[in-house]
């Protein structure tokens, strides 16, 4: 289990209400896939991370590509023969979002941090884990003369392959 390749995903349904001179509401469906390659040192795991995100809000689609890294501290050493590994971890990514509004592309810069707990269950095989993460997510988007900050609870699930 010295190296790992993991894919995690999340689906979020959110409703956002913006208070300005008029009250504006929006409903979104967000699909998110993280891909990571890393190194397992039994007590900690680390490596690069890439995220692809697609969001549809009231007929407007957003496409996001982020790159960064991850770090997990395992409370139970992740070694062969251990059926369940619990830990805490963090990810940090940055990149760009692009959306098309009225046939015009708008690009914003994004910075995203996730901190939370995780569990890896090796019930499928000695080297394949079902991974779940739950924690706090902070995302800051800036560009086009505006800055948006989103925070909240995020739950993710996926598979981790160790080799």
């Amino acid at each position: 289990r010295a190296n790992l390749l993991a894919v995690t995903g999340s689906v979020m349904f959110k409703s956002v209400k913006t208070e300005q001179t008029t009250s504006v509401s929006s409903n979104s469906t967000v699909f998110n896939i993280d891909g990571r390659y890393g190194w397992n040192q039994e007590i900690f795991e680390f490596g690069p991370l890439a995220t692809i995100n697609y969001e549809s809000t009231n007929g407007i689609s957003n496409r996001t590509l982020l790159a960064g890294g991850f770090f997990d501290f395992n409370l139970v050493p992740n070694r062969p023969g251990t059926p369940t590994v619990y830990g805490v971890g963090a990810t940090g990514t940055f990149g760009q979002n692009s959306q098309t509004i009225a046939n015009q592309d708008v690009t914003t810069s994004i910075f995203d941090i996730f901190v939370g707990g995780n569990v890896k269950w090796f019930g499928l095989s000695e080297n394949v884990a079902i991974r779940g993460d739950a924690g706090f997510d902070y995302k800051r988007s800036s560009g086009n003369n505006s800055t948006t900050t989103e925070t909240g609870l995020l739950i993710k699930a996926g598979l981790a392959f160790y080799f």
Side-chain angles (χ1 to χ4, degrees), residues 88-131:
V88 293
T91 64
T93 55
F94 62 93
Q96 286 191 331
N97 171 274
S98 62
Q99 64 179 216
T100 304
I101 302 172
N103 295 326
Q104 188 172 4
D105 287 332
V106 177
T107 303
T108 57
S109 298
I110 295 180
F111 174 71
D112 192 3
I113 294 177
F114 172 81
V115 177
N118 61 63
V119 61
K120 301 168 200 116
W121 178 65
F122 291 89
L124 301 176
S125 118
E126 184 78 13
N127 295 318
V128 178
I130 296 174
R131 179 187 173 110

Side-chain angles (χ1 to χ4, degrees), residues 40-56:
N40 175 21
Q41 303 296 311
E42 294 184 4
I43 296 297
F44 58 90
E45 300 173 29
F46 61 94
L49 166 71
T51 300
I52 297 171
N53 182 297
Y54 176 79
E55 180 176 349
S56 178

Side-chain angles (χ1 to χ4, degrees), residues 34-93:
D34 294 339
R36 49 177 92 186
Y37 177 84
W39 297 273
N40 175 21
Q41 303 296 311
E42 294 184 4
I43 296 297
F44 58 90
E45 300 173 29
F46 61 94
L49 166 71
T51 300
I52 297 171
N53 182 297
Y54 176 79
E55 180 176 349
S56 178
T57 305
N58 296 341
I60 299 171
S61 63
N62 293 293
R63 297 157 309 277
T64 305
L65 181 60
L66 304 171
F70 74 95
F71 181 84
D72 287 343
F73 179 77
N74 296 325
L75 302 173
V76 176
N78 186 354
R79 57 176 71 122
T82 305
T84 306
V85 176
Y86 301 95
V88 293
T91 64
T93 55

